Amino acid sequence: MAFAYRDGALCAEQVPLEDIARRFGTPCYVYSRAAIEGAYREFTDELAGRASLVCYSVKANSNLAVLSVLARLGAGFDIVSGGELARVIAAGGNPAKIVFSGVGKTEEEIRGALQAGILSINLESEQELERVNAVAGALGKRAPVAFRVNPDVDAKTHPYISTGLKQNKFGVAWSDAERLYRKAAALPHVRIAGVGCHIGSLMLDSAPFVAATTRIVDLVERLGQAGIGLEHIDLGGGMGIRYHDETAAPVAAFVHGALDALGRRRETVLLDPGRAIVGNAGVLLTRVEYVKPGEAKNFVVVDAAMNDLIRPALYGAWHDVKNLREAESGAAAGVYDIVGPVCESADWLAKDRTLAVRQGDVLAILSAGAYAMAMSSNYNTRPRAAEVMVSGADAQLVRRRESVAQLFEGELVPAWK
Ligand SMILES: *Cc1c(COP(=O)(O)O)cnc(C)c1O
């Protein structure tokens, strides 16, 4: 376990989190390098012996240190913007292992991706196919492309993170895919590299993932009969993790289910997990500013807020909360809502938790490695948190805490009379 109590103190690997809070301040995200590496290797171990590439989904946590840990292991990357492309390259990632997804790629982003020499542009519409063909032509290149196909399979997850249903904005329609492939095959500046699919995030069961794979295999077979061969099949990410008491199917169930569905097909298999690699590899440290008993509810007011971690406000997400001191120094346990200082009633991090807690204590919000810092904002003019990565007994700052001055340095006041 990357985060566990040792001698009564919650630690990241071998480093007491209290030391990190003291050294770097709060709020502060802390990541475990060993946890990231271990989660990545679960995928590569299960895929051993098969032509495959695990493309970490950068949007889950895009800190350069996280990307660098994965780049050194030979990971590929799944990106959704030109900004993420720049991050991967800055972190030492191999552009030839990048797949680019997203419904709204601009001409500039497509140009940047082609100049970098990425593995595949995952197309999400017919107009995007035409745009990529035109941009590649102007550069004198042939763009490697895949269509992200929407298999109309229900991922059975929160509606905000469901992406593989007919009514979702993602991918090209299942019924239109073959026509689009035939069209792409006839264009001069694109080269058909593969097919992609991603039906949603935080899937606890592998069955929808396997069902989507089966549909993709059916399409790949039809394309083969039409003389259109593919190099890779990208099955997306979405593998769930445990936040609370839910049972998430293990990575092996997703991988083996997909490999069974692929049967004797020999295309390279791509997976793009994000949450499953970093979700349980991070915690958010936050200090208790006030303990505030109320008429209907008791509140613990902490120095982290919805701008640091929006998942509870956005999806009603549940994160475990621990006091860094296992046997908190003498305080009686109470039932509290853990809330931040932001002026919104949605600004809560946890509700109805039994905790022993006193003013000045530091709490850890667990499972905060994915879609946490990456979704943070400066709402209420709050500087974003620091980020620290631990490896063994060493803790390193991997992102400085923002200063207030940085927050408005780009703002201009017109000199009107
Ligand atoms: C967000 C995303 C992923 C990663 O999803 P997780 O639930 O974090 O695994 C993978 N592929 C695509 C295309 C995505 O947009």
Side-chain angles (χ1 to χ4, degrees):
M1 278 293 282
F3 299 94
Y5 286 103
R6 288 195 164 78
D7 300 326
L10 192 62
C11 293
E13 301 189 28
Q14 291 154 42
V15 183
L17 289 166
E18 275 193 342
D19 293 357
I20 292 177
R22 210 174 300 121
R23 228 175 114 195
F24 302 103
T26 54
C28 176
Y29 279 99
V30 184
Y31 309 121
S32 156
R33 176 182 170 187
I36 295 168
E37 292 180 340
Y40 171 78
R41 289 208 174 100
E42 262 190 68
F43 283 92
T44 53
D45 287 352
E46 296 299 337
L47 288 163
R50 167 91 203 201
S52 61
L53 182 64
V54 177
C55 295
Y56 167 65
S57 185
V58 173
K59 71 180 189 287
N61 185 327
S62 56
N63 185 289
L64 292 192
V66 172
L67 303 182
S68 158
V69 162
L70 291 164
R72 283 195 226 182
L73 297 179
F77 295 92
D78 169 55
I79 61 167
V80 293
S81 71
E84 288 189 350
L85 174 64
R87 279 183 177 276
V88 171
I89 291 170
N94 181 353
K97 294 182 177 178
I98 294 176
V99 295
F100 191 175
S101 314
V103 294
K105 302 177 199 77
T106 65
E107 281 187 10
E108 195 182 335
E109 287 176 319
I110 292 164
R111 205 175 298 120
L114 293 176
Q115 279 164 338
I118 74 166
L119 175 65
S120 176
I121 298 185
N122 288 357
L123 303 169
E124 305 217 14
S125 65
E126 185 163 5
Q127 285 192 347
E128 191 188 348
L129 168 66
E130 288 160 4
R131 179 177 273 185
V132 167
N133 183 61
V135 172
L139 291 174
K141 289 184 186 286
R142 271 187 101 156
V145 298
F147 281 98
R148 172 174 176 175
V149 177
N150 182 334
D152 194 26
V153 169
D154 187 352
K156 302 215 162 56
T157 183
H158 190 286
Y160 289 6
I161 50 177
S162 220
T163 55
L165 288 170
K166 272 186 191 162
Q167 61 265 37
N168 296 134
K169 69 177 176 180
F170 299 98
V172 300
W174 172 252
S175 54
D176 210 18
E178 201 176 323
R179 178 184 72 81
L180 291 170
Y181 270 99
R182 286 175 192 272
K183 175 166 174 170
L187 292 178
H189 306 299
V190 300
R191 175 173 66 76
I192 294 171
V195 63
C197 135
H198 173 70
I199 61 170
S201 196
L202 196 41
M203 284 184 271
L204 296 175
D205 182 4
S206 60
F209 185 79
V210 176
T213 305
T214 303
R215 297 208 87 180
I216 294 293
V217 168
D218 177 54
L219 173 66
V220 173
E221 277 165 9
R222 275 191 283 127
L223 291 175
Q225 283 153 18
I228 298 173
L230 307 180
E231 291 153 26
H232 73 254
I233 300 178
D234 180 351
L235 298 172
M239 300 80 184
I241 61 167
R242 172 185 282 228
Y243 283 94
H244 188 191
D245 51 7
E246 64 278 47
T247 318
V251 165
F254 285 90
V255 176
H256 293 160
L259 293 182
D260 283 350
L262 287 166
R264 280 204 289 272
R265 300 227 59 94
R266 279 294 157 255
E267 291 83 359
T268 300
V269 179
L270 268 56
L271 296 178
D272 10 284
R275 189 189 313 270
I277 290 183
V278 291
N280 276 325
V283 301
L284 171 60
L285 300 184
T286 182
R287 194 172 291 277
V288 176
E289 297 287 352
Y290 303 100
V291 178
K292 181 179 172 179
E295 284 178 12
K297 288 216 136 188
N298 300 318
F299 297 98
V300 170
V301 184
V302 295
D303 65 0
M306 65 186 289
N307 73 294
D308 299 297
L309 178 66
I310 202 171
R311 299 191 66 259
L314 190 59
Y315 318 117
W318 196 98
H319 286 263
D320 202 2
V321 180
K322 300 247 187 257
N323 196 308
L324 296 196
R325 302 258 102 218
E326 193 167 20
E328 211 274 343
S329 39
V335 179
Y336 301 100
D337 282 8
I338 320 285
V339 302
V342 163
C343 300
E344 300 275 342
S345 290
D347 182 26
W348 56 276
L349 299 173
K351 283 188 174 167
D352 299 320
R353 300 303 170 83
T354 302
L355 271 182
V357 65
R358 290 199 302 197
Q359 190 174 34
D361 283 357
V362 180
L363 305 179
I365 316 283
L366 303 196
S367 309
Y371 305 105
M373 183 64 176
M375 293 176 101
S376 65
S377 77
N378 294 118
Y379 187 40
N380 280 208
T381 306
R382 289 172 47 83
R384 264 175 294 191
E387 291 176 289
V388 169
M389 189 178 287
V390 169
S391 180
D394 189 30
Q396 296 273 337
L397 186 66
V398 296
R399 181 185 170 117
R400 286 183 208 100
R401 181 179 308 288
E402 266 173 341
S403 69
V404 169
Q406 271 176 293
L407 300 191
F408 51 83
E409 73 187 354
E411 296 175 32
L412 305 165
V413 179
W416 290 325
K417 285 220 176 54

